[in-house]
Structures are given as C-alpha cells and as structure tokens.
Amino acid sequence: MTGNMKGLLLDDRWAPITSEMGFLEIGAEHAARAFAAWQAGLLVPRGIAVDVRPVQGSLEQALSSLLPLTSPESRRDLFIPTRSPWTAYVENGWGGTDAGSAMPAMARRLGCRGMRVVAVPHTLRGDKGRYGAVMFELYGPRQTHWLNYLRTLYVSNDGGKWVFGQSGEPLPFEKLERYQARKVRDRFTFDMLAEYLHHLGLSPFQEEFYLPQGAPAWLVEKTGTFVPAQTEYTLAQARADF
C-alpha cells in the first residue's frame, strides 16, 4: 500500500528533500557543471552568482550541504554519484525537491535519459501529515508524444481521492496486470516502483547506492540578491506538519 513504505532512503529522515529525487544518466560532475552553466545564464543578469564545489563525506553530510532550506527560490542543488551510470539530484526548496522541472530540461541539454522518482507515505490525519504518492517519470533526449517524456506512472492521493495514471510506452519489465487492481492505490505501489527502478539499474532507497569509493557529491550554490520574501527554514521546520 502507498501508506506503508518500509525501506525509504535514510528512513525518510531527510524528507521532504528526498521525497522526490531526480536522476540523470551521466556523471555527477558533468551534470553539476552543465546545470550551473544553465542556471548562470538565467540568474547572472539578476546579479546572482552560481558556483560549483565538491562535497566530501557520507550521504547525510552531503545532504547537510543543502541546509538551510529556502522559499520561494531554492539556492542549492546537489548532484550525487551512484554505483550506476545514474547521478542523483536533490535541491533545497522548502517544499522538497522539484525534479519535474529540472530533469526533463537537463536530459535534453545533456543528450541523456533523465528521471523523476516520488515516494511519499500517506500519513494525513486531519490537518497534519502528507498526501501519499508513488510516481515515476522517464525522459529522453529528444521530442516525444509530450515534450521529451518516455514513460509516466503514478498513484497519488489528490485531496482525499486516490488516482492512477500512465502515459507513454510501457517498459518491458512492467507488471501491466497490476494496473487493473480494484483498489486504485494498489495499481502502482512503492514496492513496484523499487522493482522497476532496479530493472533500470537504480537502488535509490539504499544508502550504500550513493557515493561509491569516496567519490564527492557536487553542490551548485547560488549567491546574491534574491526576492525580498526569501525565507530560510531548518529541516525540522519543513517537517513540522508531517
């Protein structure tokens, strides 16, 4: 069930940062520098500098480099090497990572595949907690039926109602019969998401999947004058309503 997600990355301690993650099928430093160049083109005219630096240490130490979280504009983006051809992406927005904006654009810019992965337990009780979601989006380097999307699958709680959706060509390993399950939230589960990602060479919910052989993560940091309403938050503040 979508509400029972045993095995989330780092026991979900770094949600909402890790509730949604992006992936690019290219090296981490290359991805970070290409992203920084793209962002610099947008932000330097506003007087905002964009820098790239390596971050050594454990996965949690790398994630700590994103703090504090910010809103309405994110200021730090992290590219993390993995034990696969894929690089992971997270950022420091107060509401969590927005991989659905950056990853399709980066896949096209870099000429590689990209991905968006969402795993949020359904914990809503009254006005506290989160709406559950399991989502998978795969992007290619070229135009498709919709932008550069290759495949989309999702089950999510939309304001109290569970919804399921899919688009694009199914991948060879998909369990198509599951999409006919009577209960909507059983049509695409966290376990199915993890299995599908394993077929693509990813184990994103396992800490040891990241930072192989002491390789650094790469932090893209933006400094300068942001909007007047820019606010900083601790991770605990961002998690207060969970």
Side-chain angles (χ1 to χ4, degrees):
M1 302 292 281
T2 307
N4 180 16
M5 294 189 185
K6 293 180 179 179
L8 284 167
L9 181 62
L10 298 169
D11 296 321
D12 217 24
R13 291 192 301 273
W14 285 87
I17 294 172
T18 56
S19 297
E20 177 170 330
M21 301 183 73
F23 293 90
L24 292 166
E25 201 171 20
I26 203 164
E29 182 178 2
H30 187 177
R33 294 196 182 280
F35 180 83
W38 173 38
Q39 293 295 294
L42 301 173
L43 298 175
V44 168
R46 290 177 47 193
I48 296 173
V50 182
D51 299 302
V52 183
R53 64 177 174 88
V55 178
Q56 297 284 354
S58 67
L59 179 58
E60 294 202 70
Q61 287 171 324
L63 292 170
S64 294
S65 71
L66 292 171
L67 301 175
L69 306 183
T70 56
S71 177
E73 293 184 282
S74 63
R75 298 185 64 167
R76 285 173 283 277
D77 302 82
L78 190 66
F79 293 82
I80 311 170
T82 71
R83 299 180 187 277
S84 78
W86 296 86
T87 287
Y89 165 81
V90 285
E91 45 116 327
N92 83 321
W94 169 77
T97 298
D98 179 12
S101 295
M103 295 299 96
M106 287 297 293
R108 297 190 75 154
R109 293 177 70 89
L110 290 168
C112 68
R113 291 192 297 178
M115 200 179 297
R116 175 189 183 221
V117 174
V118 179
V120 180
H122 186 68
T123 59
L124 193 69
R125 297 292 183 274
D127 61 350
K128 294 286 187 180
R130 293 185 287 174
Y131 288 105
V134 177
M135 300 180 177
F136 166 78
E137 293 176 353
L138 181 65
Y139 319 112
R142 290 176 291 278
Q143 179 74 33
T144 64
H145 64 288
W146 172 248
L147 302 176
N148 58 327
Y149 285 55
L150 296 173
R151 183 65 170 141
T152 299
L153 285 164
Y154 65 87
V155 162
S156 64
N157 190 294
D158 184 9
K161 179 182 179 181
W162 289 97
V163 294
F164 165 78
Q166 60 171 317
S167 66
E169 288 295 320
L171 299 165
F173 47 77
E174 290 185 34
K175 297 180 174 180
L176 302 180
E177 70 282 358
R178 294 288 298 275
Y179 307 156
Q180 308 302 318
R182 184 181 63 83
K183 296 187 73 170
V184 174
R185 64 191 297 181
D186 289 341
R187 294 177 188 175
F188 186 46
T189 64
F190 173 68
D191 289 342
M192 291 170 67
L193 172 66
E195 181 180 334
Y196 287 10
L197 294 171
H198 183 74
H199 280 286
L200 291 166
L202 290 91
S203 301
F205 308 112
Q206 299 176 11
E207 182 178 0
E208 59 272 19
F209 176 63
Y210 300 94
L211 300 169
Q213 299 171 334
W218 292 88
L219 183 71
V220 178
E221 189 163 17
K222 307 156 191 173
T223 56
T225 304
F226 285 80
V227 295
Q230 187 80 349
T231 307
E232 296 184 344
Y233 302 87
T234 65
L235 183 62
Q237 287 173 320
R239 293 171 57 88
D241 290 334
F242 281 13

